[in-house]
Amino acid sequence: MKPNDNIDNVIIKIGGMHCAMCVKTVAEALGKVPGVRAVNVNLANEKAYLELEDERFSIEAAKKAIESAGYQYLGREGEENLIEQDQAFTRDLRSRMRRIIIGFITGVILMIPMFIEINLPFPMAYLMLVIATPVFIYLSYPIFRAAGQALRNRSLNMDVMYAMGIGVAFFASLLGTFEIVLTRDFLFFETAIFLATFLMLGRYLEARAKGKTTAAIKRLIGLQPQTVIVIRDDVESEIPLESVVINDIVIVKPGSRIPVDGVVISGESYVDESMLTGESLPVFKQTGAKVVGGTLNQNGILHIRAERIGRDTVLAQIIRLVEQAQGSRPPVQRLADVVVSYFIPMILAIAILSFGFWYFVAEQTLLFALTAFISVLVIACPCALGLATPTAVTVGIGRGAELGILIKNGTVLEVAPRVTTVVFDKTGTLTTGKPLVTDIFPVGISTAELLRYAAAVEKNSEHPLSTAIVNYAKELEITIPAADNFAAFGGRGVTAYVDNRAVFIGTEVFFQEHRIPISPDILSTAEKYADAGKSIVFVAIEGQTVGVIAIADTLKNSAASAVEKLREDGLKIAMITGDNRRTAQTIAAQIGIETVLAEILPQDKAVVIRQMQAKGEVVAFVGDGINDAVALAQADIGIAVGSGSDVALESGDIVLVRNDLNDVSAALQLSRKVMSRIRQNLFWAFAYNAALVPVAAGVLYPLFGITFRPELGGLAMALSSVTVISLSLNLRRFNPAR
């Protein structure tokens, strides 16, 4: 069942999530909202990605579901105030830091009696109680509040575990102070304080690190100016960007970012388009030129008519594409999801069994058993598991966007490293896609007359070769007559009637199909053109071949180096084209491609790819994103090469915005790097819990006398999440080998 195309998918910013169980709780809550088909919640960027089913969905219902689950609704994409969010984020960090400082100082004070004997007229426990209680309440209130909300939602999450751990520590201390059931040997005041402090420290460090994972998106958003100068009713005024409407005349001064996609109606200037194309040299713009929002006007004043605004601009589309991709999950995440679903019940069971074993079986003291119980509760952490994949995906896809590589979903990251064969389309991909007529060989007819008939038929076709013929005729100022009964034959040729005469234009195979003879002179000339790497088009009038037209398309500068780099990566390279074999092999030889699939009709490209896949090949198809949609869809990875066009953004799994073929290898390298980092993150997350939970339970005590203090467990828990995030943040420094 396909999603309703008339309903936009929704991205919601959520506050208060800090572990994998939070993600699960939010996803389940939003999944119950009417009209929601599927939910994906990303812990790294704290957003929920909703795939909608029908019109029953309401944002108010989603907000209620989030808040009922105990989390904060921070706005829908496009509605949230980024400045206010940043301010709120900063305030939250400061609040956490205050709690950390107060908690650490108080913990140190509570430890003084352990090293210095202090004589008081009353038990020291009473003073420790007075000092610890207000600080404990201040530190632990957010944890207990979140735990209470989770229990009301019948959910076990890490807040519940942490609340149990620090709660047991403080309550035992309270009983010990007044010698109710327990003695004053059970004073865990400093433990409770340090536990709450380290938990807060972990979340502080985690929040700061997670903030860095979305740096790429923030930089892209920063390319949009907040205010715009427009002319309305001959009056200049400065208005917010969101107030601009289509056909507004926007004034862009030197040094300012262009705020909208549009066309220059007056003025001249050089525009830096490197954010979009990667080209360092600025592009000259004058009246009639197209401009893209987010690019930088350098030295002149431009008056621009707004054609696309808001969510419809190329930059907005790129931002939305990157955000959605960052919110996706590769299949490898499923392993972590399965583990997390059993994690908390398993840890709770281990904690209870540890207490029971040491107290009832090993006959250790109640103090020892209680310490093991608390240590297991606080050292266990699914946070690292929950962060392992989304942080790497978020940072990796963000880094790709900065390099002009738009990866559209997390699944691509997992498939791309397994690619064995890269298949290139020729026209518009390996070549510039702007073919020019180079030679004309007429027989029994003048060159002008041959062009006249050919252009009359070809002006009805959108094929690049057709465009080249029509443009050449116009350059020679040849009058192009009307054509009747035009028909196209799928990449092989076209026919029409011109001056009541049947005209056939196409390949040699097309002429053979229609039994149109080609003279030896024309055929040998065509072969000579083909040997030079030119595309050839035969022309026949009334069943008689009257000549051949040679058309050449220039190879992209990056074609040869891109092929060489892919071959160095151990990949098989192939080229697929509708051109005749001789021409195709000549072009391929120039850039080092040995496998050539020529005379392939557009609709058959997917068949060829399917045949490769049947032989066990994992295929990446590289096309221009215009006429390669079927092949891009059939390939395991579809890579669209295009300069930010709508078609390119919609086509393929990866979009190379800069039109640089070297980015094919860069995209595959980045995918391999991200997947490697995900595996490293998952390894460390699993290893942390696998190694330290048994230690906290006391398995090393019989042999080595080693135990684990609860407060150290809290610190280790914090560091596990920070380690995983830090490993992911290293992806920001990724640079492809060229």
Side-chain angles (χ1 to χ4, degrees):
M1 185 176 178
K2 292 180 66 178
N4 190 327
D5 294 332
N6 297 319
I7 302 178
D8 289 334
N9 290 346
V10 173
I11 302 174
I12 298 174
K13 180 73 175 176
I14 300 172
M17 297 191 299
H18 45 77
C19 76
M21 290 304 299
C22 297
V23 170
K24 185 173 182 290
T25 301
V26 172
E28 289 177 350
L30 287 172
K32 297 175 182 177
V33 175
V36 174
R37 179 193 303 276
V39 181
N40 183 33
V41 180
N42 187 307
L43 182 59
N45 60 18
E46 297 181 308
K47 290 183 178 180
Y49 299 80
L50 277 60
E51 180 184 318
L52 305 185
E53 188 171 42
D54 52 44
E55 291 86 354
R56 291 177 299 161
F57 174 80
S58 88
I59 197 66
E60 286 300 319
K63 179 181 179 182
K64 184 178 179 181
I66 293 167
E67 292 175 347
S68 298
Y71 302 92
Q72 297 94 51
Y73 170 87
L74 299 180
R76 179 177 177 176
E77 183 197 50
E79 298 175 347
E80 73 273 35
N81 188 311
L82 296 176
I83 296 175
E84 289 182 2
Q85 283 189 15
D86 283 342
Q87 292 174 345
F89 179 73
T90 302
R91 288 195 300 270
D92 181 61
L93 287 182
R94 289 173 180 171
S95 174
R96 294 185 187 190
M97 180 52 67
R98 282 195 298 270
R99 284 184 163 88
I100 292 167
I101 293 171
I102 292 172
F104 187 78
I105 293 172
T106 304
V108 171
I109 292 172
L110 292 172
M111 290 181 67
I112 292 175
M114 296 173 59
F115 305 99
I116 301 174
E117 185 176 346
I118 302 174
N119 295 315
L120 297 173
F122 51 85
M124 177 59 68
Y126 292 168
L127 179 61
M128 296 175 71
L129 175 64
V130 171
I131 295 172
T133 300
V135 176
F136 178 79
I137 294 172
Y138 177 63
L139 290 175
S140 62
Y141 171 73
I143 299 170
F144 279 102
R145 182 181 61 185
Q149 188 65 56
L151 291 174
R152 283 193 293 273
N153 291 313
R154 300 178 181 179
S155 171
L156 280 177
N157 63 12
M158 289 311 299
D159 285 313
V160 176
M161 303 289 284
Y162 299 150
M164 288 177 62
I166 62 178
V168 168
F170 188 83
F171 187 66
S173 302
L174 191 63
L175 295 178
T177 298
F178 296 103
E179 297 185 313
I180 303 171
V181 180
L182 303 177
T183 68
R184 290 193 176 118
D185 292 331
F186 292 82
L187 296 182
F188 293 103
F189 287 120
E190 78 285 350
T191 298
I193 294 296
F194 274 126
L195 272 177
T197 300
F198 288 141
L199 289 173
M200 193 60 60
L201 175 63
R203 291 184 181 177
Y204 172 83
L205 296 174
E206 185 182 307
R208 288 198 56 168
K210 285 197 298 187
K212 295 177 182 178
T213 65
T214 56
I217 281 289
K218 291 177 180 177
R219 280 192 287 271
L220 287 172
I221 293 172
L223 296 175
Q224 300 172 309
Q226 297 299 308
T227 60
V228 183
I229 300 174
V230 298
I231 300 177
R232 293 176 178 173
D233 299 325
D234 297 325
V235 178
E236 290 187 18
S237 59
E238 189 170 356
I239 63 174
L241 176 61
E242 57 267 23
S243 299
V244 176
V245 298
I246 293 175
N247 291 325
D248 265 344
I249 305 303
V250 178
I251 300 176
V252 185
K253 296 180 179 181
S256 298
R257 294 275 177 190
I258 295 172
V260 297
D261 295 358
V263 61
V264 178
I265 60 172
S266 69
E268 295 181 349
S269 183
Y270 283 92
V271 175
D272 180 357
E273 296 183 334
S274 58
M275 53 74 60
L276 184 67
T277 66
E279 295 291 337
S280 57
L281 294 176
V283 181
F284 181 69
K285 302 289 184 180
Q286 58 185 349
T287 301
K290 296 281 188 179
V291 292
V292 178
T295 55
L296 181 64
N297 182 30
Q298 291 196 331
N299 58 348
I301 296 178
L302 295 176
H303 288 63
I304 299 166
R305 179 186 294 111
E307 293 184 337
R308 294 186 177 183
I309 60 175
R311 290 170 57 88
D312 295 327
T313 64
V314 169
L315 179 60
Q317 292 179 57
I318 291 174
I319 291 171
R320 190 158 59 250
L321 185 74
V322 173
E323 282 203 312
Q324 290 172 346
Q326 289 179 332
S328 64
R329 301 194 302 174
V332 71
Q333 175 66 23
R334 294 171 188 161
L335 174 61
D337 292 343
V338 172
V339 172
V340 166
S341 64
Y342 295 102
F343 186 86
I344 290 179
M346 181 178 67
I347 293 301
L348 189 57
I350 292 173
I352 295 172
L353 288 172
S354 299
F355 177 88
F357 174 81
W358 291 116
Y359 188 67
F360 296 107
V361 179
E363 297 183 348
Q364 289 288 335
T365 64
L366 179 60
L367 178 63
F368 185 95
L370 199 59
T371 301
F373 176 80
I374 297 171
S375 296
V376 171
L377 288 180
V378 298
I379 202 170
C381 181
C383 305
L385 285 171
L387 291 166
T389 299
T391 53
V393 169
T394 299
V395 177
I397 288 176
R399 179 56 181 156
E402 292 177 330
L403 296 171
I405 301 167
L406 303 184
I407 299 171
K408 296 177 71 172
N409 60 73
T411 302
V412 173
L413 293 168
E414 193 159 344
V415 176
R418 297 190 281 109
V419 167
T420 59
T421 300
V422 179
V423 180
F424 286 94
D425 171 54
K426 182 179 80 70
T427 305
T429 302
L430 290 171
T431 66
T432 61
K434 298 177 181 177
L436 300 172
V437 174
T438 59
D439 305 273
I440 299 177
F441 182 72
V443 176
I445 190 174
S446 69
T447 298
E449 194 70 4
L450 177 63
L451 269 174
R452 178 176 175 272
Y453 278 98
V457 179
E458 295 285 21
K459 73 177 181 181
N460 297 286
S461 172
E462 296 181 353
H463 194 281
L465 300 185
S466 302
T467 304
I469 293 172
V470 174
N471 288 341
Y472 190 61
K474 289 179 179 178
E475 288 176 16
L476 298 179
E477 298 182 349
I478 295 173
T479 302
I480 303 174
D484 301 315
N485 299 324
F486 174 83
F489 295 82
R492 302 189 307 278
V494 292
T495 66
Y497 281 86
V498 181
D499 299 336
N500 293 319
R501 305 178 75 185
V503 182
F504 282 68
I505 303 175
T507 64
E508 183 179 357
V509 172
F510 182 64
F511 273 45
Q512 290 172 352
E513 290 174 352
H514 290 82
R515 299 180 180 180
I516 300 175
I518 304 174
S519 69
D521 286 348
I522 294 177
L523 203 57
S524 64
T525 302
E527 290 174 354
K528 181 181 69 174
Y529 294 153
D531 287 340
K534 300 174 182 180
S535 299
I536 52 177
V537 176
F538 296 97
V539 182
I541 301 175
E542 293 292 305
Q544 183 70 38
T545 304
V546 295
V548 63
I549 300 173
I551 301 169
D553 192 1
T554 308
L555 281 167
K556 289 180 179 177
N557 294 331
S558 58
S561 59
V563 169
E564 182 182 359
K565 185 67 188 75
L566 290 167
R567 186 176 287 110
E568 290 174 357
D569 293 340
L571 299 171
K572 303 173 186 176
I573 316 296
M575 185 184 80
I576 190 166
T577 178
D579 263 348
N580 70 76
R581 187 166 298 280
R582 191 187 297 269
T583 300
Q585 288 176 337
T586 301
I587 294 290
Q590 293 176 17
I591 54 177
I593 295 178
E594 297 179 357
T595 303
V596 179
L597 304 163
E599 300 174 6
I600 305 297
L601 302 179
Q603 61 268 29
D604 292 335
K605 291 180 181 179
V607 176
V608 173
I609 292 171
R610 195 154 49 243
Q611 290 170 347
M612 292 180 177
Q613 292 168 326
K615 296 177 181 178
E617 301 291 340
V618 180
V619 181
F621 178 80
V622 187
D624 58 28
I626 297 173
N627 56 2
D628 297 315
V630 178
L632 287 165
Q634 176 61 45
D636 298 282
I637 297 291
I639 303 177
V641 182
S643 300
S645 66
D646 283 344
V647 176
L649 291 173
E650 292 296 327
S651 304
D653 304 299
I654 298 174
V655 180
L656 307 182
V657 178
R658 303 191 303 183
N659 233 345
D660 184 347
L661 292 177
N662 288 305
D663 286 344
V664 175
S665 174
L668 298 179
Q669 290 178 49
L670 177 60
S671 299
R672 288 194 288 268
K673 191 71 173 179
V674 172
M675 287 307 303
S676 173
R677 190 53 41 87
I678 288 174
R679 294 189 184 96
Q680 288 177 25
N681 286 349
L682 288 173
F683 170 79
W684 285 114
F686 280 119
Y688 161 81
N689 284 289
L692 294 188
V693 170
V695 175
V699 296
L700 297 181
Y701 181 76
L703 294 175
F704 306 103
I706 296 175
T707 59
F708 215 95
R709 291 186 62 84
E711 57 267 36
L712 295 179
L715 180 61
M717 178 279 300
L719 293 176
S720 69
S721 295
V722 174
T723 299
V724 165
I725 297 176
S726 299
L727 286 171
S728 294
L729 287 174
N730 283 333
L731 290 169
R732 295 190 300 175
R733 294 196 290 269
F734 168 82
N735 284 300
R738 297 288 190 181

